[in-house]
C-alpha cells in the first residue's frame, strides 16, 4: 500500500490541502476553502486580525472532503502558513481540545475536531497589522540580526502588547504563528514547548538565523515577554511530533513536520532548477530566488531585499511587496462603487473581465501614464503613498489605466529587485504563481516587459505541495 503525505497551507485568505504520493510528482487529491476569518479591529484600519477558530474550521473542512480511503494511507503531515503573524493561546485549552474524543458517524473512536475554545486563544494578528508605526518601531531595541523589523512581525506585535496592553499577554502562556498552533493541536502538545521552524522564527524579527536562536540580549533591553517565545527552534523538515488521535482516518501516531513558511514552501514547490526565480502575486507580491552562497552574519543594509532561511542551509533572497493583487482588487472595488454611485450595478466579475479585455492589446493600451501603486506603502518605506503621472487626454480610457496599474505593480517589484540583480546570480527564467498573476494576462505581459525573461506559470498546489515535498525530501 502506498504511503501518502498530506500538505496543508494556512493562507491569508484561504486554506489549501493536498495529498501527494511519495514520488512527489503526483497530487492525488486537493481541496481549498476561503477562511472568511477577518474580524474588525479596535484600531480601525491600523489593525488586522483574524478569527482563529474560523481558520481551524476551514482546515478541518478541507481535510474532511478528501477521499477517506486515501487519508488512511497518510504517513506524515506537512504544514505551512502565512508568515510574520502571531497568535497566543493557553496550554490547558490545547489539552482540553486534544483530550476529547468519542465515536464518529463512521464508527471511528478517539477522533477529534481541530478546534480550540475562543477563551483559550487570541485573535491572529496578521502580517498586515499596522499597529506598530515608525515611531514605535524606532523606540524598540535594535537587533543585531541581519533581518529587519516591521509592523506585522510577531516580535513587534508582542512588544506593542507588552507596552500598551500587558493584561492581554497575561492571559496566555504560549504563542506562535497560526500554523504553529495547528501543529500543537494535532500533536496534542499541551505541556511541552512550542516547536517553531527557523523559517517562521526569522519572519518574527529578533532572530539569529545562523545561531538558530533569538536575540535575547536585545529583547531583554526592551523588557520583552520572553516567556512566551517558542523555545525550541527546528530546521525545515524536522519532526514536531506525532498525531495525537485519528483524524478522518489518518492513523494516530503519523509524523507531523514542524510548521514552515508559506513563501519558502511555494518556492520549493515551483523551482525546477537553480536558474529559476519565483514570482508570486496573490494578496501581496513576492519575487524570490535561492542565493547560492549567502551566510549572513551582520545587519542587512539592503532595505528592499531580505534574506530568509530556506532549505538545505541556503537562503532565499526576497523582494516582498505589500502591494499586489490587493491593489488591483481595491481599484476594481472602487470602480464598481463609482458605477453604483451613478445608479447602475455591475457584478465584480464582469468588471474584472472587461478591464482585462480592454487592456489585453499591449500595443493599444500601453501609454505614457505611470502609476505608482503603493497604496499600502512598503516595509522599507511605510509612509510611501500611491501616485499617478503622465495623464493626458488620450490616457484616460479604462484600458490604458488598467494597463498602467498592472505595469506599476511589476515596476515596483523591479525597483526592489531589478533584472540586473537576477542576472548577477544566473537567473534565466521566472516561474509565476498566485491567483493575481495566473488569472491576469495583462500582469503576465508586464512581467515579460520589465524583466525580459521567459515567464512560465507554475502548477497548482503551490505552498501546500511544498510543505508535503519538504517532508518527502527530508525522509529521502
Amino acid at each position: 500500500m502506498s504511503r501518502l503525505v498530506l500538505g496543508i497551507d494556512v493562507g491569508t485568505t484561504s486554506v489549501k490541502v493536498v495529498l501527494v504520493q511519495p514520488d512527489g510528482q503526483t497530487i492525488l487529491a486537493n481541496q481549498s476553502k476561503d477562511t472568511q476569518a477577518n474580524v474588525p479591529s479596535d484600531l480601525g484600519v491600523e489593525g488586522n486580525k483574524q478569527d482563529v477558530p474560523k481558520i481551524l474550521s476551514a482546515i478541518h473542512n478541507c481535510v474532511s472532503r478528501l477521499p477517506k480511503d486515501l487519508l488512511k494511507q497518510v504517513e506524515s503531515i506537512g504544514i505551512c502558513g502565512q508568515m510574520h503573524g502571531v497568535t497566543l493561546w493557553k496550554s490547558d485549552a490545547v489539552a482540553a481540545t486534544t483530550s476529547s474524543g468519542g465515536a464518529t458517524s463512521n464508527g471511528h473512536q478517539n477522533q477529534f475536531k481541530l478546534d480550540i475554545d475562543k477563551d483559550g486563544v487570541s485573535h491572529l494578528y496578521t502580517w498586515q497589522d499596522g499597529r506598530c508605526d515608525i515611531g514605535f518601531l524606532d523606540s524598540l531595541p535594535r537587533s543585531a540580526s541581519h533581518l529587519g523589523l516591521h509592523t506585522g512581525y510577531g516580535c513587534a506585535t508582542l512588544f506593542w502588547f507588552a507596552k500598551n496592553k500587558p493584561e492581554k499577554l497575561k492571559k496566555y502562556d504560549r504563542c506562535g504563528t497560526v500554523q504553529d498552533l495547528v501543529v500543537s493541536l494535532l500533536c496534542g502538545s499541551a505541556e511541552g514547548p512550542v516547536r517553531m521552524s527557523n523559517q517562521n522564527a526569522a519572519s518574527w524579527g529578533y532572530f539569529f538565523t545562523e545561531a538558530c536562536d533569538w536575540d535575547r540580549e536585545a529583547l531583554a533591553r526592551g523588557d520583552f515577554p520572553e516567556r512566551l517565545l517558542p523555545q525550541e527552534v527546528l530546521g525545515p523538515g524536522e519532526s514536531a511530533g506525532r498525531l495525537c488521535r485519528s483524524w478522518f482516518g489518518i492513523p494516530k501516531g503519523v509524523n507531523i513536520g514542524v510548521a514552515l513558511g508559506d513563501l519558502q514552501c511555494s518556492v520549493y514547490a515551483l523551482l525546477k532548477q537553480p536558474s529559476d526565480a519565483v514570482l508570486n502575486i496573490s494578496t501581496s507580491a513576492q519575487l524570490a530566488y535561492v542565493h547560492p552562497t549567502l551566510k549572513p552574519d551582520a545587519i542587512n543594509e539592503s532595505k528592499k531585499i531580505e534574506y530568509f532561511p530556506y532549505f538545505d542551509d541556503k537562503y532565499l533572497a526576497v523582494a516582498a511587496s505589500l502591494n499586489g493583487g490587493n491593489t488591483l482588487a481595491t481599484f476594481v472595488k472602487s470602480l464598481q462603487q463609482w458605477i453604483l454611485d451613478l445608479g447602475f450595478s455591475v457584478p465584480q466579475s464582469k468588471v474584472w473581465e472587461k478591464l482585462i479585455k480592454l487592456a489585453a492589446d499591449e500595443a493599444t493600451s500601453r501609454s505614457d501614464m505611470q502609476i505608482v501603486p503603493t497604496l499600502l506603502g512598503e516595509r522599507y518605506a511605510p509612509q510611501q503613498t500611491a501616485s499617478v503621472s503622465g495623464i493626458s487626454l488620450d490616457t484616460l480610457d479604462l484600458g490604458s489605466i488598467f494597463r498602467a496599474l498592472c505595469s506599476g505593480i511589476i515596476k515596483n517589484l523591479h525597483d526592489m529587485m531589478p533584472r540586473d540583480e537576477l542576472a548577477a546570480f544566473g537567473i534565466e527564467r521566472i516561474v509565476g504563481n498566485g491567483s493575481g498573476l495566473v488569472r491576469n494576462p495583462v500582469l503576465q505581459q508586464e512581467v515579460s516587459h520589465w524583466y525580459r525573461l521567459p515567464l512560465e506559470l507554475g502548477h497548482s498546489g503551490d505552498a501546500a505541495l511544498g510543505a508535503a515535498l519538504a517532508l518527502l525530501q527530508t525522509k529521502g
Side-chain angles (χ1 to χ4, degrees):
M1 179 182 292
S2 177
R3 307 307 294 173
L4 309 179
V5 179
L6 172 64
I8 300 173
D9 172 30
V10 189
T12 304
T13 58
S14 65
V15 166
K16 298 177 183 178
V17 301
V18 296
L19 281 171
V20 184
Q21 281 190 330
D23 62 9
Q25 304 298 315
T26 307
I27 297 176
L28 297 178
N30 61 81
Q31 292 288 339
S32 65
K33 182 176 175 60
D34 289 344
T35 59
Q36 298 180 328
N38 285 347
V39 294
S41 171
D42 53 351
L43 298 177
V45 296
E46 296 303 319
N48 190 282
K49 59 188 184 182
Q50 295 183 343
D51 183 278
V52 172
K54 284 188 177 180
I55 296 172
L56 298 177
S57 177
I59 299 171
H60 200 77
N61 180 278
C62 285
V63 175
S64 74
R65 289 185 280 122
L66 293 170
K68 301 300 183 291
D69 59 322
L70 296 180
L71 289 173
K72 293 177 182 178
Q73 301 175 49
V74 169
E75 68 171 2
S76 56
I77 301 174
I79 300 171
C80 69
Q82 51 179 300
M83 299 161 63
H84 308 298
V86 58
T87 187
L88 302 100
W89 64 91
K90 300 176 182 177
S91 55
D92 56 3
V94 171
T97 298
T98 56
S99 63
S100 62
T104 64
S105 59
N106 58 10
H108 286 114
Q109 295 290 327
N110 298 326
Q111 183 160 296
F112 69 97
K113 181 178 181 181
L114 186 64
D115 196 8
I116 188 169
D117 188 88
K118 282 199 172 189
D119 291 333
V121 66
S122 73
H123 287 110
L124 165 63
Y125 301 94
T126 79
W127 61 271
Q128 299 178 103
D129 191 87
R131 71 187 63 228
C132 300
D133 59 22
I134 294 176
F136 180 80
L137 292 172
D138 286 345
S139 74
L140 299 179
R142 185 163 173 79
S143 175
S145 169
H146 77 279
L147 290 165
L149 185 71
H150 306 284
T151 187
Y153 280 30
C155 283
T157 303
L158 291 171
F159 257 131
W160 188 93
F161 276 106
K163 295 179 182 297
N164 293 279
K165 294 186 177 182
E167 69 282 357
K168 181 87 171 179
L169 300 183
K170 293 178 181 178
K171 295 171 57 178
Y172 307 102
D173 60 353
R174 300 285 189 275
C175 76
T177 65
V178 68
Q179 55 267 31
D180 293 318
L181 172 59
V182 173
V183 168
S184 292
L185 287 168
L186 291 177
C187 294
S189 306
E191 301 303 326
V194 175
R195 294 181 173 92
M196 184 183 238
S197 69
N198 63 348
Q199 294 180 356
N200 285 327
S203 77
W204 271 20
Y206 289 96
F207 186 76
F208 294 129
T209 56
E210 289 294 285
C212 201
D213 197 9
W214 304 98
D215 187 350
R216 300 180 189 276
E217 181 180 338
L219 292 172
R221 291 200 305 270
D223 295 323
F224 183 86
E226 192 175 329
R227 67 176 182 85
L228 291 170
L229 277 181
Q231 297 297 306
E232 193 168 344
V233 181
L234 306 176
E238 291 192 61
S239 175
R242 300 280 171 175
L243 184 64
C244 64
R245 292 184 181 275
S246 172
W247 189 33
F248 293 110
I250 302 175
K252 174 184 176 181
V254 304
N255 176 54
I256 298 177
V258 65
L260 305 173
D262 56 356
L263 174 61
Q264 288 93 334
C265 287
S266 180
V267 172
Y268 197 71
L270 291 165
L271 276 186
K272 296 180 180 178
Q273 49 200 15
S275 57
D276 287 346
V278 169
L279 170 62
N280 179 78
I281 302 179
S282 48
T283 304
S284 53
Q286 304 90 25
L287 180 62
Y289 66 89
V290 179
H291 198 292
T293 58
L294 182 74
K295 292 292 181 184
D297 56 5
I299 295 174
N300 172 28
E301 296 301 331
S302 171
K303 295 183 178 181
K304 296 184 178 182
I305 299 176
E306 293 192 289
Y307 302 94
F308 289 101
Y310 185 55
F311 297 93
D312 301 322
D313 294 324
K314 288 186 169 60
Y315 283 81
L316 204 59
V318 184
S321 172
L322 299 177
N323 302 274
N326 48 9
T327 301
L328 290 172
T330 299
F331 175 70
V332 168
K333 289 177 183 176
S334 298
L335 187 56
Q336 188 183 30
Q337 184 60 50
W338 297 340
I339 296 170
L340 189 61
D341 290 344
L342 292 172
F344 305 96
S345 179
V346 180
Q348 197 171 116
S349 60
K350 291 293 184 184
V351 178
W352 277 105
E353 180 182 333
K354 191 65 175 179
L355 285 172
I356 291 174
K357 184 176 181 180
L358 289 171
D361 188 340
E362 188 173 1
T364 58
S365 61
R366 186 175 297 281
S367 68
D368 292 332
M369 178 185 290
Q370 295 184 15
I371 297 179
V372 178
T374 47
L375 287 173
L376 300 173
E378 292 293 2
R379 290 192 175 110
Y380 66 89
Q383 293 182 312
Q384 183 171 318
T385 57
S387 62
V388 184
S389 61
I391 301 173
S392 61
L393 289 175
D394 58 352
T395 60
L396 289 174
D397 63 282
L398 274 178
S400 296
I401 294 172
F402 190 69
R403 166 70 64 176
L405 180 55
C406 290
S407 181
I409 288 172
I410 305 304
K411 181 182 184 299
N412 182 51
L413 272 175
H414 189 271
D415 290 344
M416 298 170 71
M417 185 180 282
R419 184 184 188 280
D420 290 347
E421 164 85 10
L422 300 183
F425 290 98
I427 302 303
E428 299 175 349
R429 181 179 65 167
I430 295 176
V431 181
N433 193 46
S435 58
L437 180 64
V438 172
R439 299 174 184 174
N440 189 339
V442 182
L443 266 184
Q444 295 166 26
Q445 291 172 0
E446 290 304 315
V447 173
S448 300
H449 172 76
W450 284 103
Y451 281 98
R452 304 190 306 281
L453 289 171
L455 172 66
E456 177 182 312
L457 297 181
H459 45 65
S460 61
D462 47 82
L465 176 60
L469 293 178
L471 283 186
L472 287 169
Q473 183 68 25
T474 302
K475 181 181 177 182

